[in-house]
Amino acid sequence: MQAPLSVAAKAATDLSPFALFLQSDIVVKVVMLGLLAASVWSWAIIIDRSRRLREINNEAKRFEAMFWKAESLDGMYEPAVKSTHPSAKLFVAGLNEWRRSLAKGRIDREGVRARLTSIMGVAIAREIDDLGDRLNVLATIGAVAPFVGLFGTVWGIMRSFTSIAASQNTTLAVVAPGIAEALFATAIGLFAAIPAVIGYNRLLHGLAKLEARLSAFAEEFHGLLSRQLDSMDEK
């Protein structure tokens, strides 16, 4: 009776995650390591982009407060040129177009308004594209990781069944470790995919809010310049 008990005890101790990794086939090991690397990569993107979005929103609040307190647009230009956050870049793009339009002498009011809308729209799209550059990685990891883990599981189970057939022993102590290491690959796939999907959705929501904020600022800035155009026409 001691031998079966010792075998069962040994099998139980061998079901730890690290032991399952060491006992697994080379293909399953590669799958597990790839999924762990993907998980680390996705967390790095989530942390970096979350921090960046938080900083940008705080900078946008400060810049908008400075903008509405400023005595002139020209006085805001130099600080904005030196800044790197999207609100400042949007302001610089709009003011540069405004200056170029006024420098032509004869002013086409509708043409100026159209160009300002286009220029600031492009500036917003460029900033949002830059911030969302790595989100496709999260989407890919979230979509692919479970299937990669499933591939590792299928491969491990096939290997386990082959070993069982060769040994002609179907006791739980023999079957459990092989099945467990195969299922462990699926668990790692889910471990990589779930944070990636949640992070992708949260960052996408944050980008949408930032885009709405930049669009609102662009509309206000456009309205201010439009009023200046109207006052110039009245003179």
Side-chain angles (χ1 to χ4, degrees):
M1 293 295 292
Q2 292 298 322
L5 289 174
S6 63
V7 171
K10 187 174 183 242
T13 58
D14 286 343
L15 295 182
S16 64
F18 185 67
L20 290 175
F21 173 77
L22 293 179
Q23 294 166 13
S24 63
D25 181 70
I26 183 63
V27 174
V28 181
K29 278 190 175 75
V30 170
V31 168
M32 290 179 181
L33 290 174
L35 290 172
L36 287 174
S39 179
V40 171
W41 192 10
S42 67
W43 275 110
I45 293 172
I46 291 169
I47 293 170
D48 176 69
R49 291 301 164 178
S50 298
R51 179 186 56 80
R52 181 67 180 138
L53 278 174
R54 186 167 56 252
E55 289 175 352
I56 285 174
N57 279 303
N58 291 334
E59 290 169 350
K61 288 179 184 177
R62 288 193 293 268
F63 183 82
E64 288 170 14
M66 289 172 56
F67 175 81
W68 293 113
K69 290 179 182 177
E71 296 180 357
S72 68
L73 295 178
D74 292 332
M76 285 287 299
Y77 185 77
E78 288 301 324
V81 168
K82 297 176 183 178
S83 183
T84 58
H85 64 86
S87 296
K89 291 182 179 179
L90 172 62
F91 171 79
V92 170
L95 195 58
N96 282 339
E97 179 58 36
W98 169 258
R99 288 176 172 179
R100 284 193 294 267
S101 298
L102 295 186
K104 295 179 179 179
R106 185 176 177 274
I107 300 175
D108 176 10
R109 297 194 308 279
E110 294 307 316
V112 171
R113 290 188 176 99
R115 286 193 297 273
L116 285 172
T117 299
S118 176
I119 288 294
M120 288 192 284
V122 169
I124 292 172
R126 186 179 295 118
E127 293 302 317
I128 296 299
D129 286 344
D130 180 62
L131 287 169
D133 181 48
R134 297 182 184 177
L135 294 192
N136 62 325
V137 175
L138 294 180
T140 301
I141 292 173
V144 174
F147 295 101
V148 175
L150 184 60
F151 167 75
T153 296
V154 171
W155 183 275
I157 289 175
M158 289 171 58
R159 176 175 169 268
S160 297
F161 284 165
T162 302
S163 300
I164 291 168
S167 65
Q168 297 183 350
N169 189 344
T170 59
T171 61
L172 184 61
V174 173
V175 174
I179 301 299
E181 71 186 43
L183 293 175
F184 188 47
T186 296
I188 295 179
L190 294 175
F191 176 77
I194 292 173
V197 172
I198 295 174
Y200 174 79
N201 289 329
R202 291 299 302 165
L203 290 173
L204 202 64
H205 177 66
L207 280 178
K209 289 180 66 176
L210 177 62
E211 185 175 10
R213 179 176 201 141
L214 292 175
S215 297
F217 176 69
E219 289 291 332
E220 293 172 339
F221 186 32
H222 187 281
L224 179 62
L225 295 178
S226 293
R227 287 192 292 273
Q228 289 196 21
L229 274 177
D230 293 337
S231 65
M232 291 169 63
D233 182 60
E234 290 172 1
K235 293 179 183 178

